């Protein structure tokens, strides 16, 4: 028999040399793969504190939509979200800087909560908050003594999602 020439195209997030997007891309991919979150974000039509070209909510929604619906782009750049994070949260998110996926995940979710509810993410109790409906968690990091194996709770390394 004859072999058919099939070509497959896959879509992904851009990570050009020197951009160091890998840690942010992992957060975007994680959020995209949670159907309930992706669908809930796509249904939101407005939010608080829009910063236009530096709006985290707008950029996350755009990236999730592009990843879902854009049939022509095989490499989707996360640069706009990085610029929004660097402008509205911390300069450490600037393109080219290395980062931590947990830090990106936390920053994105906290900012989305604030923009979806109009309040602070640390005290959110809004029933319509997509972030807390899908990801509510208290995270406490512990350290363990190498010698005695006793666990210690740090005083300031506690955060809430």
């Amino acid at each position: 028999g004859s072999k058919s020439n099939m070509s497959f195209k896959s879509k992904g997030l851009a990570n050009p040399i020197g951009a160091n997007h890998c840690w942010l891309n992992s957060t975007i991919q994680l959020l995209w793969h949670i159907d309930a979150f992706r669908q809930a974000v796509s249904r939101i039509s407005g939010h608080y504190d829009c910063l236009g070209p530096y709006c985290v909510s707008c950029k996350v929604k755009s990236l999730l939509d592009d990843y879902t619906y854009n049939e022509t782009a095989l490499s989707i750049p996360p640069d706009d979200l990085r610029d929004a994070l660097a402008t509205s949260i911390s300069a450490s998110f600037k393109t080219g800087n290395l980062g931590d996926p947990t830090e990106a995940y936390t920053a994105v979710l906290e900012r989305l909560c604030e923009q979806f509810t109009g309040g602070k993410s640390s005290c959110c109790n809004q029933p319509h908050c997509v972030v807390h409906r899908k990801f509510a968690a208290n995270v406490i990091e512990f350290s363990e003594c190498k010698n005695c194996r006793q666990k210690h709770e740090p005083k300031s390394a506690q955060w809430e999602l």
Side-chain angles (χ1 to χ4, degrees):
S2 66
K3 290 184 179 179
S4 67
N5 286 334
M6 296 177 65
S7 66
F8 295 97
K9 293 181 181 177
S10 62
K11 189 182 327 185
L13 296 164
N15 188 20
I17 294 173
N20 297 317
H21 291 324
C22 53
W23 56 277
L24 180 59
N25 287 352
S26 67
T27 295
I28 297 163
Q29 290 167 344
L30 170 76
L31 296 175
W32 186 85
H33 281 285
I34 299 171
D35 293 342
F37 179 79
R38 184 180 68 248
Q39 292 164 2
V41 169
S42 74
R43 287 190 298 268
I44 293 173
S45 60
H47 56 274
Y48 297 92
D49 194 24
C50 184
L51 298 173
Y54 303 110
C55 180
V56 171
S57 177
C58 292
K59 299 310 175 188
V60 167
K61 187 172 182 173
S62 176
L63 274 172
L64 295 178
D65 286 349
D66 279 351
Y67 209 77
T68 304
Y69 302 113
N70 190 331
E71 297 296 326
T72 58
L74 298 180
S75 181
I76 300 165
D79 302 88
D80 289 345
L81 177 57
R82 276 198 84 164
D83 291 345
L85 291 167
T87 302
S88 67
I89 296 175
S90 169
S92 68
F93 288 106
K94 283 184 148 186
T95 297
N97 290 350
L98 290 173
D100 177 349
T102 304
E103 182 183 357
Y105 173 79
T106 303
V108 167
L109 292 181
E110 286 178 349
R111 187 67 181 135
L112 287 175
C113 170
E114 292 168 0
Q115 290 191 284
F116 293 158
T117 66
K120 292 289 178 197
S121 67
S122 60
C123 58
C124 180
N125 60 1
Q126 301 294 321
H128 64 280
C129 179
V130 172
V131 172
H132 283 90
R133 278 199 341 252
K134 307 301 179 200
F135 298 102
N138 292 321
V139 178
I140 301 171
E141 296 177 345
F142 288 91
S143 62
E144 183 177 319
C145 176
K146 289 181 183 179
N147 297 325
C148 70
R149 302 304 237 192
Q150 185 176 2
K151 293 183 178 170
H152 303 279
E153 183 179 330
K155 293 177 177 88
S156 63
Q158 180 173 333
W159 35 277
E160 200 176 290
L161 296 176

